[in-house]
Amino acid sequence: MKYIFPFLIFNLLFLGCSNNHVEKKGFQVSDITEDESGQKVVGLPIDSLKLETRPRNVLLTYNNEHRLTPIYKVNYNKKTNEPFVGSNLYHSTWNDDDRKGNNWNNNFMPGFEAIYGYNFVNVSHYNNLTNTENKLFDKPVLIKTLYYPAFSKDTLNYEPVKRGYYMVSVYDEDSNKDGFINMKDLRRLYHFDMDGKNKTTLIPKTHSVMSSEYDAANDFMYVFAKKDSNQNGQMETEEPTDIFWIDLKNPEKVGKQYQAE
């Protein structure tokens, strides 16, 4: 039996986005002008950044009080100028035979569903008990992957698995100072409590998240991340790769599995 199952966090673009009718993922956050020589000059941040957005659907968590709504940027086809929004796409994986006590219901990891989509920019959390709504992020970001407690009845090593928090892999800063938030920036990984509040950073902001693996024996998530050694705000091939571990039973416990020399 294998105890470590590899998964790539990086994923394919929204279907159809490879053609010339669709812009690349991301959005402008700073004024951009040209100097006398025609070179682009990145100016001040756009103070009133307001993207046109739409909700997609309602995601169910195992806890009936908590429901999530993915929010997508409204995009326009460059040829027809018709508006469209991205769709939820799900990460899934094979899991061990249920007779061995493991049934993940094709979820990304036991207890976690994971979604991504084209220009996925925020998540709305709603509490059915208190009738209150809040956004996970104060302003639009570019979400790579949202991990949320699975509605299905997952088991790990014969025990039921229920997660009481969310994790979000995201580009939330114009780290390379090119005037845009997009996939050229550093990628973060955050933790939120079940109410979608108390955001904490799981991987140091000196790094950019690349991919992950799951360790079923320890219920750990291993995160591979590039260190921004030259501090230019973007991930580069030659920069060192470190590996961090996250204890999914208690995500406040995080450590470094491997440090590049």
Side-chain angles (χ1 to χ4, degrees), residues 7-11 91 144-145 147 169 187 209-212:
F7 307 107
L8 288 179
I9 293 181
F10 281 131
N11 41 60
H91 286 289
K144 186 71 171 178
T145 308
Y147 307 86
S169 171
R187 183 176 164 201
V209 171
M210 295 172 56
S211 61
S212 72

Side-chain angles (χ1 to χ4, degrees), residues 25 41 72 102 113 138 143 186 190 201 222 241 255:
K25 286 184 178 181
V41 178
Y72 285 86
N102 294 314
E113 295 192 53
D138 295 332
I143 295 174
L186 300 180
Y190 293 112
T201 303
Y222 298 121
T241 301

Side-chain angles (χ1 to χ4, degrees), residues 4-43:
I4 298 179
F5 309 99
F7 307 107
L8 288 179
I9 293 181
F10 281 131
N11 41 60
L12 298 176
L13 291 177
F14 176 73
L15 295 176
C17 289
S18 59
N19 63 49
N20 294 326
H21 300 159
V22 180
E23 299 284 353
K24 292 183 178 180
K25 286 184 178 181
F27 48 88
Q28 186 175 343
V29 293
S30 296
D31 291 320
I32 300 176
T33 58
E34 291 186 357
D35 60 19
E36 295 178 354
S37 64
Q39 296 294 317
K40 289 185 179 180
V41 178
V42 179

Side-chain angles (χ1 to χ4, degrees), residues 95-113:
N95 51 272
D96 276 2
D97 192 309
D98 188 35
R99 288 174 297 178
K100 297 178 182 178
N102 294 314
N103 183 7
W104 304 351
N105 293 289
N106 294 318
N107 291 323
F108 184 68
M109 293 182 288
F112 272 127
E113 295 192 53

Side-chain angles (χ1 to χ4, degrees), residues 18 34 52 88 92 95 101 110 123 140 142 147 149 167 179 247 260:
S18 59
E34 291 186 357
E52 184 181 358
N88 295 341
S92 60
N95 51 272
V123 180
L142 184 60
Y147 307 86
M167 295 188 296
D247 185 347

Side-chain angles (χ1 to χ4, degrees), residues 6-7 56 61 88 117 152 156 231:
F7 307 107
R56 189 64 199 180
T61 73
N88 295 341
S152 56
L156 175 63
Q231 300 181 2

Side-chain angles (χ1 to χ4, degrees), residues 222-242:
Y222 298 121
V223 179
F224 294 72
K226 287 280 188 182
K227 185 175 182 180
D228 183 22
S229 298
N230 57 13
Q231 300 181 2
N232 67 350
Q234 58 189 26
M235 184 173 64
E236 293 162 326
T237 303
E238 63 273 14
E239 290 181 317
T241 301
D242 294 334

